């Protein structure tokens, strides 16, 4: 019996944003379970972004995209797609073969990671600015207090 050649795939899974926000662990467990059932090896799993859908799927109008890179036997891809269709947690999936992707490409930050990094940097900058403003106010108060310490003897 021949051993199956596993290829690298990119899967973009779509989940209802309400479910993703309420129970992220359920979403990742569902994806991992479906991939494990197909004997796929997960290389990377990241939240990609949350967006308004161009059309409602069921009664869902916003979705969270999860980007997953995995190694899998090409004959098992159909099973993954079927399991996603049967899943109550996952709405859709798009799977593409990505044999030529480098490790650096796989580890590139997703749009949500970039947004979180920028938000964190902005919050840190604001905190530093507020701390500097507080320090400047304290210094101004110290200068004012020093001027009141004059004696009449001078």
């Amino acid at each position: 019996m021949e051993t199956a050649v596993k290829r690298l795939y990119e899967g973009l899974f779509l989940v209802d944003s309400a479910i993703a926000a309420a129970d992220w662990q359920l979403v990742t467990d569902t994806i991992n379970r479906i991939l494990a059932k197909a004997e796929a090896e997960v290389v990377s799993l990241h939240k990609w972004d949350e967006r308004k859908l161009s059309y409602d799927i069921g009664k869902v109008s916003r979705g969270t995209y999860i980007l997953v890179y995995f190694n899998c036997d090409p004959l098992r891809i159909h099973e993954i797609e079927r399991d996603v269709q049967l899943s109550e947690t996952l709405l859709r999936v798009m799977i593409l073969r990505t044999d030529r992707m480098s490790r650096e490409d796989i580890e590139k930050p997703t749009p949500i990671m970039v947004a979180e990094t920028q938000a964190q940097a902005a919050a840190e900058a604001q905190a530093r600015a507020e701390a500097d403003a507080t320090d400047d106010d304290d210094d101004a108060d110290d200068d004012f207090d020093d001027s009141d310490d004059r004696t009449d003897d001078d």
Side-chain angles (χ1 to χ4, degrees):
M1 181 174 190
E2 286 186 40
T3 59
V5 175
K6 291 190 174 190
R7 298 189 181 273
L8 181 64
Y9 289 92
E10 173 182 85
L12 192 62
F13 293 81
L14 176 61
V15 182
D16 180 359
S17 290
I19 294 173
D23 196 355
W24 178 250
Q25 190 64 39
L26 170 70
V27 173
T28 58
D29 288 347
T30 301
I31 293 170
N32 284 323
R33 181 181 44 78
I34 288 172
L35 293 174
K37 184 178 174 186
E39 298 177 5
E41 302 163 1
V42 175
V43 175
S44 172
L45 186 144
H46 296 289
K47 183 177 181 180
W48 188 71
D49 206 358
E50 179 183 334
R51 303 234 171 135
K52 182 174 182 343
L53 302 177
S54 58
Y55 59 90
D56 289 358
I57 300 174
K59 294 184 178 181
V60 178
S61 61
R62 293 195 65 80
T64 300
Y65 293 89
I66 296 108
L67 182 62
V68 182
Y69 291 97
F70 59 95
N71 292 309
C72 186
D73 177 6
L75 300 174
R76 308 294 297 264
I77 296 300
H78 182 69
E79 293 176 33
I80 295 171
E81 292 171 339
R82 179 182 45 89
D83 287 343
V84 168
Q85 288 176 347
L86 296 173
S87 172
E88 293 180 6
T89 305
L90 306 174
L91 299 173
R92 298 278 193 275
V93 67
M94 180 176 63
I95 299 175
L96 303 171
R97 197 170 109 190
T98 57
D99 289 331
R100 294 194 175 99
M101 288 199 70
S102 67
R103 189 72 184 161
E104 293 81 30
D105 290 336
I106 291 173
E107 295 301 323
K108 280 184 181 176
T110 63
I112 196 91
M113 290 173 157
V114 171
E116 287 173 350
T117 303
Q118 290 173 345
Q120 183 178 9
E124 289 172 358
Q126 183 178 359
R128 279 194 303 272
E130 289 174 359
D132 289 344
T134 303
D135 290 343
D136 290 344
D137 289 344
D138 290 344
D139 291 342
D141 290 343
D142 291 343
D143 291 341
F144 182 73
D145 291 342
D146 289 342
S147 65
D148 288 343
D149 291 340
R150 290 187 205 154
T151 62
D152 291 331
D153 296 335
D154 292 332

